[in-house]
Amino acid sequence: MIELAKPALDVGLFTNRREAMLAFWQTVVGLPFSELLPLGGGLQQHRHAIGQSVFKLNHARAPLVDAPPSGIRTLLIADPACTAPALLEDPDGNRVRRVPPGFDGVDQLRIDLVVSDLAAHRAYYGDVLGLPVLDGNTFACGVSQIRLTEGAATRDPVQQAQGYRYLTVQVFDVRATHAGILARGGREGRPPVRLGDVAHISFVRDPDGNWLEISQRKSITGSLD
């Protein structure tokens, strides 16, 4: 149901610890730096590549609010240099597991998402977003994956707080995609807006309130019309 302009998910986190976090993700995890984007309001986005995905390390100059975690609890990143799974924590306590390509079916990136109700979230990711089902609890978004686990989930997590806070999909038409998700029972996070000549974006939320950014980026689609 979602026509992807890029066959991969992006992941965004927020931090106040720029230098320590950049050192960890670039040196320990080994993600190559792509570019720095000023977001305004004292935010800078340090973009890194995970294959076709973008890891967005958003540094906030002002102290972030103290808030419970989102449902995004662990990233699994396939790394050809990795010979055995290794679970790591960054300086803020975010969990990331480096795995050999193909481990547990992960060829590039998997997001492990803790949810309060498996049935409701299966319906959302499968029927509302229209992501293909790989198994009962795992969904494909291009070469990326989302795996659902039922557990102690946060309801309506704050978006701009420390930790993993949102996922992003790139599409060809933000307005149509956003409207379609709402028509199928999705929940609005923020309506579509235009960011200059760079992108259109909007946000929708799953049954627990986890944030998904819908992005139409001109550098990918070639147009913002």
Side-chain angles (χ1 to χ4, degrees):
M1 294 179 187
I2 295 180
E3 185 181 5
L4 297 175
K6 183 183 75 169
L9 281 166
D10 302 333
V11 182
L13 66 71
F14 289 88
T15 185
N16 287 132
R17 305 177 65 183
R18 178 177 56 198
E19 300 308 324
M21 291 287 279
L22 287 174
F24 174 86
W25 286 97
Q26 293 177 5
T27 304
V28 178
V29 182
L31 300 187
F33 174 77
S34 300
E35 62 178 328
L36 173 63
L37 295 180
L39 301 181
L43 287 172
Q44 290 184 327
Q45 185 174 99
H46 301 260
R47 296 166 68 90
H48 299 74
I50 305 175
Q52 297 178 75
S53 296
V54 177
F55 176 75
K56 305 174 184 179
L57 196 157
N58 298 304
H59 173 255
R61 185 172 60 238
L64 292 163
V65 299
D66 185 16
S70 75
I72 305 169
R73 301 297 172 84
T74 308
L75 303 186
L76 273 73
I77 297 175
D79 183 350
C82 183
T83 57
L87 182 62
L88 307 168
E89 287 191 0
D90 72 14
D92 284 346
N94 302 301
R95 291 158 54 98
V96 55
R97 177 172 288 179
R98 294 175 64 241
V99 300
F103 174 83
D104 200 20
V106 179
D107 293 319
Q108 186 180 110
L109 173 68
R110 190 178 83 203
I111 293 90
D112 283 357
L113 192 70
V114 174
V115 301
S116 62
D117 184 329
L118 273 177
H121 285 79
R122 285 191 195 110
Y124 175 80
Y125 287 96
D127 300 331
V128 175
L129 298 187
L131 301 181
V133 182
L134 298 178
D135 60 41
N137 298 324
T138 308
F139 296 84
C141 186
V143 295
S144 309
Q145 300 176 8
I146 298 172
R147 175 166 291 177
L148 309 177
T149 301
E150 195 167 84
T154 301
R155 301 304 297 267
D156 290 335
V158 176
Q159 188 189 37
Q160 288 194 19
Q162 181 176 291
Y164 300 128
R165 290 289 154 177
Y166 65 99
L167 303 175
T168 302
V169 290
Q170 296 291 338
V171 302
F172 292 100
D173 188 330
V174 158
R175 293 186 181 90
T177 302
H178 186 92
I181 290 171
L182 299 189
R184 294 188 294 273
R187 175 181 169 194
E188 186 167 73
R190 296 178 194 165
V193 296
R194 179 165 177 157
L195 304 179
D197 199 37
V198 177
H200 289 293
I201 67 166
S202 70
F203 286 89
V204 294
R205 306 180 76 174
D206 74 9
D208 282 340
N210 293 301
W211 296 81
L212 176 67
E213 180 185 27
I214 312 296
S215 173
Q216 179 186 344
R217 193 172 179 85
K218 187 175 180 180
S219 62
I220 295 174
T221 65
S223 172
L224 293 181
D225 295 334

